[in-house]
Amino acid sequence: MSLSKTGVLYIAVLALACAAPFIGGYPLFLMKCLCFALFACAFNLLIGFTGLLSFGHAMFFGMAAYIAAHSAKVWGWTPEVAIIAATLGSAALGYVTGWLAVRRQGIYFAMITLALSQMVYFFCVQAPFTYAEDGIQSVPRGKLFGVISLADDRVMYYFVLAIFVFGYWMIHRIIHSPFGQVLKSIRENEPRALSLGYEVHKYKLLAFVLSAALAGMAGATKALALGLATLTDVQWQMSGEVVLMTLLGGMGTIAGPVVGSTIIIAMQNYLSGFGSWVTIIMGATFVVCVLAFRRGIVGELQHFLKSRSNKA
Amino acid sequence: MTGEFILETRDLTKEFKGFTAVDRVNLKVRRGSIHALIGPNGAGKTTVFNLLTKFLAPTSGGILYKGQDITAEAPGHVAQKGIIRSFQISAVFPNLTVLENVRVALQRKLGTSFHFWQSEKTLDQLNSRAMELLEQVDLTQFAALTAGELPYGRKRALEIATTLAMDPELMLLDEPTQGMGHEDVGRVVELIRKVAANRTVLMVEHNMSVVANLSSTITVLQRGAVLAEGPYETVSKDPRVLEAYVGSEDAHG
Ligand SMILES: Nc1ncnc2c1ncn2[C@@H]1O[C@H](COP(=O)(O)OP(=O)(O)OP(=O)(O)O)[C@@H](O)[C@H]1O
Ligand SMILES: [Mg+2]
């Protein structure tokens, strides 16, 4: 795919996203899709572009949801301030977690992130401000910059879309930056990167903090959009779900996680009538996808287009 | 003040769970020379490299680089001081292009390697230098290819170009000609000779004709310890060295 074709595709998708609420898209559903898409993109920054499998990303998503919900509801902060505060909170949590984890390799890295996210989960179960099982409910969306009311779902949708576009653009920029080049070289061959004088754990740490911050931004936005921050957001299943979304869409492709997360959210939404069967259907879909397209949906598509253009 | 030896080890020792892989090695690498480290399989050559580049911590002993004790340094810092290694198994970045492989090595000096908000286009200023390096190893026509697509011999050449991009004072090459066809070996030998003109090279090599051809000093390791040292003429006639290689499959050359 040439660059201009990609550009055209982006514009088309963006136009579609802008029109979506007027052509039958259900704003709450669309917002949920966007938030999880951003979450998956943030996660992919680590696994796809740095080669680190975090199994605790729910802690950033969920913690930010709590911070945003609490500061908007109890302290009455405006939505943009609540989201920024939550994003910074996740970045700080990411710094601590990353600092402990980045010197470990492979499965040990995943285990440490999992263990720390479990600690965060138990903290959230105990802490009074999270209201344990009930969660923080009916979080007010407030007024953007203290002026524009976000109470209307469509208005909120455009705010969420703007955040998503910003997050996606950030990730694109990070991947295609001098820093991104070093990340890719670490992913490809860590000992070699080290022998070229890169102190790899510092690069991994920055990648981890950026990923945590963006995951937090997604969680905070979700809490305001749906008016809800619950234990589900910090639970380990959420960490697993984001892995699934990313693998399904194609890790290491920038658009893959968006596709993967949208499919999963749509399945959860439209198949909810099947009750607990949803989990089984999703599991089966996942197994089929992993067997049929190892590179994920977008990964396979890119591969197909590339091999076709090579033949031509 | 520049000393005669760029690198010295003092009783360098590495034990793996009671097994001594490197046993009190005292190595002296003369500045500006090509120094070969040879020995049968499992003699501990790669382990010595791992110790010198801090990929492994020594059990005991010390390492002096330009008169300075670097025993406790981190691997990234050792590289920044000018000791750059290549690997026994070809080490390229397979999904980066050939040009990007070299550029990653040049990039650190710009000081923008943590700049995640900048465009990678700011790295294009390094392209001409990267192409120069690729030209030295005859890879210019492959610049746009992903490195994983290169044939084996070319990958090793790319590795040397990447190592050169760091402008190392001391190059450590672990079996640079391993697995190469005859022509590739000849090319790499010429390349090493060329790049060694203004730097020091310490290399592990099994191919004796390469060793004889290039190196001024040879250190023979056996079971982790130094067995013999000297120029090729002396070392190759040393009965202990001949004995060490008898029965070893590496006795080619
Ligand atoms: N990380 C490690 N843990 C345990 N043992 C190791 C480790 N690395 C190397 N060894 C052992 O140390 C010994 C020396 O290995 P080394 O790789 O240094 O040999 P070498 O001289 O490079 O051999 P070759 O010519 O085959 O490359 C071998 O017996 C090897 O099994
Ligand atoms: Mg070896």
Side-chain angles (χ1 to χ4, degrees), chain A residues 169-170 173-182 184-199 202-203 206 210 306, chain B residues 55 75-77 79-80 84-85 87 91-95 100 104 107-108 112-120 122-123 159 162-163 166:
Chain A
W169 173 82
M170 268 295 284
R173 185 19 62 94
I174 293 168
I175 291 166
H176 297 286
S177 71
F179 175 66
Q181 277 284 315
V182 179
K184 273 178 239 167
S185 70
I186 292 172
R187 174 194 68 186
E188 302 268 295
N189 193 333
E190 185 172 335
R192 185 52 169 164
L194 193 60
S195 76
L196 295 179
Y198 290 109
E199 293 155 78
K202 288 189 186 166
Y203 292 84
L206 179 56
L210 290 170
K306 200 173 162 192
Chain B
F55 277 61
H77 289 147
Q80 288 165 22
I84 309 294
R85 71 179 295 185
F87 291 80
V92 295
F93 302 116
N95 288 311
E100 282 170 338
V104 164
Q107 186 189 327
R108 204 175 48 77
T112 61
S113 290
F114 284 106
H115 292 193
F116 60 84
W117 57 89
Q118 252 177 4
S119 165
E120 64 190 348
T122 56
L123 298 175
E159 229 189 301
T162 309
T163 307
M166 300 295 294

Side-chain angles (χ1 to χ4, degrees), chain B residues 16 19 21 39-48 56 88 174-175 206:
Chain B
F16 295 112
F19 164 74
N41 282 114
K45 306 176 296 289
T46 300
T47 308
V48 168
L56 289 173
Q88 184 166 356
D174 199 349
E175 304 201 23
H206 276 308

Side-chain angles (χ1 to χ4, degrees), chain B residues 171-183:
Chain B
M171 260 174 112
L172 307 181
L173 304 174
D174 199 349
E175 304 201 23
T177 69
Q178 184 191 265
M180 278 188 184
H182 194 67
E183 287 153 43

Side-chain angles (χ1 to χ4, degrees), chain A residues 136-220:
Chain A
I136 308 178
Q137 296 184 9
S138 37
V139 179
R141 287 179 189 163
K143 289 183 175 162
L144 184 59
F145 309 119
V147 184
I148 310 161
S149 168
L150 297 176
D152 184 83
D153 280 347
R154 281 188 190 167
V155 179
M156 185 64 190
Y157 170 75
Y158 288 109
F159 178 53
V160 174
L161 183 61
I163 290 175
F164 172 81
V165 170
F166 170 74
Y168 191 89
W169 173 82
M170 268 295 284
I171 289 167
H172 189 275
R173 185 19 62 94
I174 293 168
I175 291 166
H176 297 286
S177 71
F179 175 66
Q181 277 284 315
V182 179
L183 287 189
K184 273 178 239 167
S185 70
I186 292 172
R187 174 194 68 186
E188 302 268 295
N189 193 333
E190 185 172 335
R192 185 52 169 164
L194 193 60
S195 76
L196 295 179
Y198 290 109
E199 293 155 78
V200 296
H201 54 265
K202 288 189 186 166
Y203 292 84
K204 287 181 179 178
L205 181 57
L206 179 56
F208 200 89
V209 171
L210 290 170
S211 171
L214 289 160
M217 191 162 86

Side-chain angles (χ1 to χ4, degrees), chain A residues 66 119-133 231:
Chain A
Y66 279 127
M119 280 170 58
V120 170
Y121 172 74
F122 287 118
F123 166 77
C124 292
V125 170
Q126 297 297 330
F129 79 96
T130 62
Y131 296 100
E133 296 298 329
L231 286 175

